[in-house]
């Protein structure tokens, strides 16, 4: 017998309160659904409580210290009678602020959900079937029936068997905010986005940083020009990068840590931060019982509108392995609800996703990459402009950065771009609009920019691409 869904007020249950979950809940409530969201830690999930919000808050402080340290070149002097004017990071204060902001953001999200009538259940949930979630709360067990279920259970830091975090000297990215004192010598294992961001941040805060990379370059898989530029900045600022070096083991010593590399050499420091990826939180939540298929990695299989292999069950966020980005999780969640509710929906298009790496300088990208051109997947023309020629960059004493635009060969449509520099996360937006809306390079070139501004280099790059048409 088929259960009829009342689409004037369907019941939607969401397991997980991160961006994929709470964004979906807001959309569902606005469309008239009765929404219940189950979260075991706090609204916002790891993105708000232990990952994105905390790390970017920490990075904001490190970036300010970096800029203050370079202020002398702009003519800014710090005169302190009888003392040292060098800025110092008070890590206890910084981390207290980081965690306070994270909890404040979590509370704001909860208030917003409650205002829209979303029921919030704090507890651990698991699927009993494709329409039922069993939740273990502090008051006992509760069963939630739903017409549709969205799984947004996130992921947790991957651990190496030979590098178990102890929360004091050997840390993962969720534990590092427990430190009260700045690490004197921080070893970062893993040169992906998370490792590079923390290496950049702690270097800015004043730690002596060693970054261990098993690959040929920092940020493997990212734009090669951007990675090379960042490596040059790291070298100039004193970050020691060990390329093609695999960490085999991390051990605690009497006064610090030692990291044994694949060639038998040893690197010592005061602390070690292990950033070697994440594992989806999909074990033990009843996926098999509900008919939800997973990949070998444990990630939930989804299609372009976030459907799983089980009827009425959708999934969003890091647990799907699509892109480990809060923005993608939120989009997947919104798409899932729109699809179930019969609202207008377009499948997720990964070639339109804009992302940013919050190192100093920042690295933002969208759409087709030069690696895609090299592989023959796309045909395009590329222009890269250094920010050294940009008037606003000179005024700000910005030495490191560039703008890169990729246009489809023949048609001149903007299909990709990279921005490296201060606030690249903001500057990528006009290129992202151009990619999403399929604008011609002339459309970008003929749009007014403020003078002087960093966006002027985006317009100039587009003008130079006109020559190649």
């Amino acid at each position: 017998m088929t259960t009829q869904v009342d689409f004037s007020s369907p019941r939607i249950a969401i397991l997980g309160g991160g961006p994929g979950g709470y964004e979906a809940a807001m959309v569902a409530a606005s469309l008239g659904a009765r929404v219940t969201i189950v979260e075991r830690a706090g609204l916002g999930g790891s993105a708000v409580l232990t990952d994105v919000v905390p790390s970017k808050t920490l990075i904001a402080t490190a970036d300010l210290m970096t800029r203050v340290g370079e202020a002398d070149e702009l003519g800014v002097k710090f005169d302190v009678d009888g003392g040292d004017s060098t800025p110092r990071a008070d890590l206890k204060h910084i981390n207290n602020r980081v965690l306070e902001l994270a909890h404040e953001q979590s509370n704001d999200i909860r208030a917003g959900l409650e205002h829209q009538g979303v029921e919030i259940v704090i507890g651990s949930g698991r699927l009993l079937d494709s329409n039922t979630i069993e939740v273990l709360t502090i008051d006992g067990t509760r069963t939630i029936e739903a017409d549709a279920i969205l799984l947004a259970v996130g992921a947790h830091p991957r651990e190496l068997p030979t590098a178990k975090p102890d929360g004091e000297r050997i840390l993962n990215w969720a534990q590092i905010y427990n430190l009260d004192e700045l690490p004197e010598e921080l070893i970062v294992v893993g040169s992906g986005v998370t490792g590079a961001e923390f290496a950049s941040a702690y270097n800015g805060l004043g730690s002596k940083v060693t970054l261990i990379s098993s690959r040929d370059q920092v940020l493997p898989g990212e734009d090669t020009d951007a990675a090379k530029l960042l490596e040059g900045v790291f070298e100039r600022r004193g970050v020691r990068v060990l390329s093609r070096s695999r960490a085999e083991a991390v051990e605690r010593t009497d006064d610090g840590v030692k990291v044994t590399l694949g060639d038998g050499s040893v690197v010592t420091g005061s602390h070690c931060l292990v950033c070697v990826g994440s594992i989806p939180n999909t074990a033990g939540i009843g996926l098999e019982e509900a008919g939800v298929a997973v990949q070998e990695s444990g990630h939930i299989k989804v299609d372009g509108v976030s459907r799983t292999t089980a009827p009425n069950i959708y999934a969003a966020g890091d647990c799907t392995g699509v892109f480990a980005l809060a923005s993608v999780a939120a989009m997947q969640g919104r798409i899932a609800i729109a699809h179930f509710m019969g609202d207008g929906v377009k499948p997720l298009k990964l070639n339109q996703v804009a992302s940013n790496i919050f190192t100093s300088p920042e690295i933002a990208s969208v759409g087709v990459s030069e690696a895609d051109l090299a592989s023959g997947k796309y045909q395009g023309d590329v222009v890269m402009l250094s920010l050294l020629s940009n008037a606003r960059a000179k005024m700000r004493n910005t030495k490191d950065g560039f703008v890169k635009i990729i246009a489809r060969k023949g048609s001149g449509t903007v299909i990709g771009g990279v921005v490296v520099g201060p606030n690249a996360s903001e500057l990528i937006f006009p290129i992202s609009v151009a990619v999403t809306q399929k604008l011609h390079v002339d459309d970008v070139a003929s749009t007014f920019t403020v003078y002087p501004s960093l966006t002027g280099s985006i317009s100039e790059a587009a003008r130079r691409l006109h020559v190649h048409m």
Side-chain angles (χ1 to χ4, degrees):
M1 180 177 177
T2 302
T3 302
Q4 295 297 315
V5 178
D6 176 12
F7 279 100
S8 64
S9 186
R11 301 166 301 168
I12 295 178
I14 300 173
L15 185 57
Y22 74 75
E23 289 275 355
M26 291 178 179
V27 172
S30 70
L31 293 174
R34 291 173 288 167
V35 186
T36 302
I37 188 165
V38 178
E39 168 59 40
R40 63 184 177 186
L43 274 300
S46 62
V48 170
L49 295 172
T50 60
D51 188 3
V52 182
V53 171
S55 65
K56 278 46 177 181
T57 306
L58 177 81
I59 287 165
T61 301
D63 184 56
L64 177 61
M65 287 192 63
T66 298
R67 286 185 285 132
V68 169
E70 297 173 348
D72 184 69
E73 296 183 45
L74 297 173
V76 179
K77 307 297 180 181
F78 298 91
D79 295 325
V80 180
D81 294 334
D84 185 6
S85 63
T86 303
R88 176 183 62 84
D90 182 344
L91 196 64
K92 182 177 177 62
H93 180 98
I94 292 169
N95 282 340
N96 284 342
R97 178 175 179 268
V98 163
L99 297 177
E100 284 174 6
L101 283 175
H103 286 291
E104 180 182 321
Q105 182 68 11
S106 178
N107 291 337
D108 287 346
I109 293 168
R110 178 167 190 147
L113 290 170
E114 290 176 337
H115 180 72
Q116 289 191 269
V118 175
E119 181 186 12
I120 298 168
V121 179
I122 300 299
S124 297
R126 68 185 311 275
L127 297 171
L128 296 182
D129 54 46
S130 61
N131 293 97
T132 312
I133 297 177
E134 181 183 73
V135 187
L136 180 62
T137 72
I138 58 173
D139 298 320
T141 302
R142 175 181 171 183
T143 300
I144 299 172
E145 300 283 346
D147 299 308
I149 293 173
L150 173 67
L151 304 173
V153 293
H156 62 276
R158 178 171 170 258
E159 295 181 0
L160 299 175
T162 55
K164 290 288 186 181
D166 60 16
E168 296 178 351
R169 293 285 183 175
I170 305 173
L171 309 147
N172 61 36
W173 45 255
Q175 299 170 329
I176 196 159
Y177 309 106
N178 297 329
L179 296 178
D180 288 339
E181 295 183 2
L182 188 70
E184 184 178 345
E185 296 177 309
L186 178 66
I187 302 170
V188 179
V189 175
S191 64
V193 173
T194 303
E197 286 185 346
F198 276 113
S200 178
Y202 273 88
N203 171 252
L205 292 173
S207 294
K208 182 179 179 182
V209 178
T210 298
L211 180 60
I212 298 176
S213 172
S214 62
R215 308 290 284 275
D216 290 337
Q217 69 172 42
V218 172
L219 299 174
E222 300 294 333
D223 182 84
T224 301
D225 292 317
K228 287 180 179 178
L229 187 149
L230 183 63
E231 286 182 354
V233 171
F234 276 172
E235 181 179 359
R236 191 177 76 233
R237 293 178 179 168
V239 176
R240 180 188 179 198
V241 178
L242 302 180
S243 300
R244 297 180 295 280
S245 300
R246 184 175 296 277
E248 296 293 341
V250 182
E251 302 172 69
R252 185 165 176 169
T253 62
D254 291 339
D255 58 353
V257 295
K258 69 173 184 178
V259 179
T260 303
L261 304 181
D263 62 2
S265 61
V266 173
V267 181
T268 60
S270 62
H271 297 76
C272 180
L273 175 62
V274 182
C275 302
V276 288
S278 60
I279 296 175
N281 297 325
T282 53
I285 62 170
L287 297 183
E288 185 176 351
E289 293 87 333
V292 177
V294 298
Q295 304 170 43
E296 288 186 13
S297 61
H299 292 98
I300 298 171
K301 293 182 179 180
V302 292
D303 63 11
V305 291
S306 305
R307 289 179 297 190
T308 70
T309 54
N312 305 322
I313 297 183
Y314 297 77
D318 291 2
C319 65
T320 67
V322 174
F323 266 155
L325 296 171
S327 58
V328 172
M331 184 64 77
Q332 285 180 295
R334 291 191 291 264
I335 287 173
I337 296 302
H339 182 267
F340 176 73
M341 297 286 287
D343 200 12
V345 63
K346 293 181 180 179
L348 181 67
K349 295 184 178 179
L350 298 181
N351 63 352
Q352 295 178 357
V353 174
S355 62
N356 191 70
I357 301 167
F358 289 84
T359 47
S360 178
E362 294 182 6
I363 300 171
S365 59
V366 65
V368 171
S369 67
E370 278 200 270
D372 291 328
L373 301 184
S375 70
K377 187 176 180 181
Y378 294 89
Q379 290 187 320
D381 295 303
V382 184
V383 161
M384 185 173 82
L385 285 183
S386 171
L387 291 183
L388 286 174
S389 62
N390 182 284
R392 186 68 186 278
K394 292 177 182 177
M395 296 169 191
R396 296 177 58 169
N397 197 36
T398 297
K399 299 184 178 70
D400 307 297
F402 63 78
V403 169
K404 178 184 293 186
I405 295 181
I406 301 173
R408 191 181 298 276
K409 187 176 290 294
S411 71
T413 304
V414 179
I415 57 175
V418 181
V419 178
V420 180
N423 302 116
S425 52
E426 313 291 344
L427 294 171
I428 196 65
F429 185 69
I431 304 178
S432 185
V433 170
V435 170
T436 302
Q437 301 303 321
K438 298 180 173 59
L439 299 183
H440 191 278
V441 288
D442 289 351
D443 295 323
V444 178
S446 61
T447 301
F448 279 100
T449 58
V450 171
Y451 181 85
S453 69
L454 297 181
T455 53
S457 290
I458 296 175
S459 180
E460 176 62 25
R463 278 193 292 276
R464 294 195 184 190
L465 275 165
H466 174 79
V467 176
H468 296 290
M469 297 299 110

